[in-house]
Amino acid sequence: MSKALGYKAFGEADVQTFFERPDPVPGPAEVLIRVEAAGVNPLDHKLRSGHAPALNGHLPFPQVLGMEAAGTVLAVGDDVTGLAVGDRVTGFALTGAGTYAETTVLLGTSTARIPDALPATWAATIPVAGTTALDVLDQLDLPAGSSLLVNGIGGGVGIALAQVALDRGLVVTGTASTAKRELVTSTGATFVDYTEGDVVERLRAHAPDGFDAVVDNVGGDSLRALAPLGKKLVSVGDPSVAELGGAFVERRLDRAGLERVAELMVAGKLDPHITQTYPLDRADEALALVESLHAKGKLVIDLGL
Ligand SMILES: NC(=O)c1ccc[n+]([C@@H]2O[C@H](COP(=O)([O-])OP(=O)(O)OC[C@H]3O[C@@H](n4cnc5c(N)ncnc54)[C@H](OP(=O)(O)O)[C@@H]3O)[C@@H](O)[C@H]2O)c1
């Protein structure tokens, strides 16, 4: 049996509950891992709230929170290649199986071994924030020297995106609230405080010809306000970007992407900026902070193994 944080019905945070479950049994394409660390993401509360029924509406309860984890392989399904018991890995969990747990199952093709030098807490941020940053930048395919505006640069995806973009020679500007100034400028990106006055006016003053591309991590009215500033436009969180002439990020979720992000981390080119870690029995606090929509950098559940 192992401890997990999940929910037995869709709803707000009060449906969350800790419980014991038998270790999940990996299917032919899956691996069972002992979780060392799990990333905390907005999709976790969206799934719990029932806001993404296409992903988990058909799954039985209880469902466990969390999409991404790093840990050690305990068992390997027959069809999985390139992974063995005892490997340290990071990857995407099956929806509903969750990662806010002592053990879980990951998808074999969406799981990669990690270098010994990489702490599990960092590795746990690779699947969601890390590979989203790569996918966005590969999709935009901008030459070095291009200007990039990142809307919502101070969260998990934004702060990873800023660093990978700067490493590719892009000139990066990002919007965030006042408390994130130091974090954002520490990456080398230009910080624009969206809480002070008309942010579109200030961005236009900063870049009169607009930006070669805008990446949106915020969505809604904020996306609509900033969309005209970019020659290219991609959103990671709001599919209605298509109505504005932009594109939703195309996710690959493959092993190669995980390995590329791990290499960037080991090379010192990408720091996930984990601003706080939480033990498993306080995972609900971590998710509450992300659900406030104003988390700073990345939050990680550290099982301290
Ligand atoms: N499609 C995919 O595969 C995929 C993958 C990853 C994430 N996502 C989505 O992408 C979005 C961002 O994810 P994340 O992990 O970066 O979330 P996060 O770590 O929770 O960060 C969200 C950030 O948004 C900022 N923010 C909120 N309102 C803002 C505004 N009006 N202008 C500028 N910044 C604002 C917040 O900073 P302030 O406190 O400064 O406001 C916060 O740092 C979420 O919707 C998530 O579901 C999608």
Side-chain angles (χ1 to χ4, degrees), residues 73-100:
V73 176
L74 298 176
V76 180
D78 287 344
D79 297 345
V80 175
T81 57
L83 299 173
V85 171
D87 284 348
R88 289 183 75 233
V89 296
T90 187
F92 288 96
L94 291 172
T95 308
T99 56
Y100 296 13

Side-chain angles (χ1 to χ4, degrees), residues 42 46 128 132 152 154-157 177 180 194 217 236 251 293-295:
K46 293 177 190 175
V128 178
T132 300
V157 172
S177 59
K180 296 185 173 74
Y194 76 86
N217 297 317
V236 305
R251 301 288 278 121
L293 305 182
H294 296 291

Side-chain angles (χ1 to χ4, degrees), residues 120-131:
T121 47
W122 282 41
T125 71
I126 291 175
V128 178
T131 67

Side-chain angles (χ1 to χ4, degrees), residues 40-43 46 128-129 132 151-158 175-178 180 194 216-218 222 235-238 248-249 251 253 289-290 293-298:
V40 181
N41 292 290
L43 187 57
K46 293 177 190 175
V128 178
T132 300
N151 189 32
I153 200 171
V157 172
T175 61
S177 59
T178 316
K180 296 185 173 74
Y194 76 86
D216 168 70
N217 297 317
V218 180
S222 178
S235 180
V236 305
D238 190 341
F248 197 60
V249 60
R251 301 288 278 121
L253 313 179
L289 185 47
V290 167
L293 305 182
H294 296 291
K296 188 175 184 180
K298 195 73 207 170

Side-chain angles (χ1 to χ4, degrees), residues 19-37:
F19 56 89
E20 296 281 330
R21 66 171 174 179
D23 289 338
V25 177
E30 300 155 14
V31 295
L32 173 69
I33 68 160
R34 178 164 304 290
V35 177
E36 291 179 37

Side-chain angles (χ1 to χ4, degrees), residues 33-268:
I33 68 160
R34 178 164 304 290
V35 177
E36 291 179 37
V40 181
N41 292 290
L43 187 57
D44 305 346
H45 63 76
K46 293 177 190 175
L47 288 171
R48 185 213 63 219
S49 302
H51 291 159
L55 294 178
N56 66 340
H58 58 294
L59 298 174
F61 293 110
Q63 296 178 18
V64 175
L65 289 156
M67 302 296 299
E68 61 178 348
T72 306
V73 176
L74 298 176
V76 180
D78 287 344
D79 297 345
V80 175
T81 57
L83 299 173
V85 171
D87 284 348
R88 289 183 75 233
V89 296
T90 187
F92 288 96
L94 291 172
T95 308
T99 56
Y100 296 13
E102 291 171 325
T103 59
T104 195
V105 281
L106 304 180
L107 294 161
T109 54
S110 300
T111 297
R113 288 195 294 187
I114 52 172
D116 290 343
L118 203 56
T121 47
W122 282 41
T125 71
I126 291 175
V128 178
T131 67
T132 300
L134 277 195
D135 286 347
V136 164
L137 290 168
D138 288 352
Q139 189 171 333
L140 285 170
D141 195 22
L142 299 167
S146 303
S147 58
L148 180 71
L149 172 63
V150 181
N151 189 32
I153 200 171
V157 172
I159 214 71
L161 192 52
Q163 295 167 82
V164 181
L166 287 158
D167 183 56
R168 293 184 184 196
L170 306 186
V171 180
V172 181
T173 302
T175 61
S177 59
T178 316
K180 296 185 173 74
R181 174 184 294 276
E182 201 180 326
L183 172 66
V184 173
T185 54
S186 74
T187 65
T190 298
F191 168 83
V192 175
D193 191 336
Y194 76 86
T195 67
E196 285 180 2
D198 183 336
V199 68
V200 175
E201 200 174 283
R202 291 173 51 242
L203 285 165
R204 280 201 192 282
H206 175 73
D209 297 330
F211 297 86
D212 292 313
V214 172
V215 179
D216 168 70
N217 297 317
V218 180
D221 291 345
S222 178
L223 162 63
R224 275 178 275 287
L226 270 59
L229 297 176
K231 298 182 181 76
K232 289 182 172 183
L233 173 66
V234 172
S235 180
V236 305
D238 190 341
S240 76
V241 66
E243 297 160 16
L244 301 166
F248 197 60
V249 60
E250 290 168 21
R251 301 288 278 121
R252 290 176 287 202
L253 313 179
D254 60 347
R255 185 176 293 171
L258 299 165
E259 290 170 347
R260 285 168 66 200
V261 177
E263 283 165 19
L264 288 170
M265 287 182 173
V266 170

